[in-house]
Amino acid sequence: MNGQTQWAKQTPMVWQTLSAFHLVQEVVRAAGRGLLARGIRVNVDVPRTATLQADVQIMRRALRELVQCAVDAMPNGGELAITVWQDNNAIELEVADSRAQSMWRDRSAGSCLQLPDAVQTAAQAHGGQLTVANCPEGGMAVTMRLPALAMRAAA
């Protein structure tokens, strides 16, 4: 268990209503220089009204790790897409990239062999599930689906 997972499991969750739009904007801004340096275009499609009940620290770390894995997988540029869908039952946050290879590689070699612990921990802690898929145009997409009812019950 790495320090990230231990921190998330030992720290009590602080449930609050988060703006998915602001969370995504914050993470993209923080990654800005790395994205520009690698020639990565960013497409964000997040409704300004999308909200979730979650622990902001855990969700921020998970999203940051997903973005970093995508950046690491595109050393020669590409496209990063972050999309959020929400209905009465759930919210889905998807991070997709246009990497040339459709598999996670060793993080120490510059990208991810498996989903980062922070992502798995965030999904589990919020009663959600993860889906990893190849994109039809190439690249990978990771979708975190968090059930609205489970989040309300836990809050």
Side-chain angles (χ1 to χ4, degrees):
M1 181 180 309
N2 71 22
Q4 169 76 38
T5 305
Q6 283 181 319
W7 172 85
K9 289 186 177 183
Q10 293 173 357
T11 304
M13 290 182 65
V14 178
W15 292 88
Q16 55 188 304
T17 301
L18 306 177
S19 163
F21 179 83
H22 289 115
L23 178 65
V24 169
Q25 292 297 322
E26 175 188 339
V27 170
V28 169
R29 269 195 305 274
R33 288 188 197 145
L35 297 168
L36 289 174
R38 294 195 183 200
I40 297 173
R41 295 174 312 282
V42 180
N43 179 12
V44 174
D45 184 9
V46 182
R48 288 186 178 269
T49 59
T51 60
L52 63 151
Q53 290 291 319
D55 183 295
V56 68
Q57 297 298 326
I58 292 173
M59 292 304 297
R60 182 183 297 124
R61 285 179 185 223
L63 183 56
R64 193 171 50 219
E65 288 286 330
L66 283 175
V67 168
Q68 188 60 53
C69 282
V71 169
D72 289 347
M74 298 184 290
N76 300 316
E79 184 171 346
L80 172 68
I82 303 175
T83 309
V84 171
W85 301 273
Q86 184 173 31
D87 62 25
N88 291 333
N89 299 316
I91 186 166
E92 291 186 0
L93 186 141
E94 180 179 272
V95 176
D97 62 56
S98 62
R99 70 180 76 197
Q101 296 180 335
S102 59
M103 61 181 291
W104 296 88
R105 293 177 291 161
D106 181 6
R107 180 83 191 251
S108 63
S111 62
C112 302
L113 175 60
Q114 61 187 12
L115 283 174
D117 287 340
V119 178
Q120 295 173 7
T121 299
Q124 291 171 352
H126 294 90
Q129 51 188 207
L130 295 171
T131 305
V132 180
N134 291 329
C135 297
E137 308 83 26
M140 295 288 297
V142 178
T143 304
M144 182 184 306
R145 180 177 175 83
L146 304 175
L149 294 177
M151 290 187 300
R152 285 189 203 116

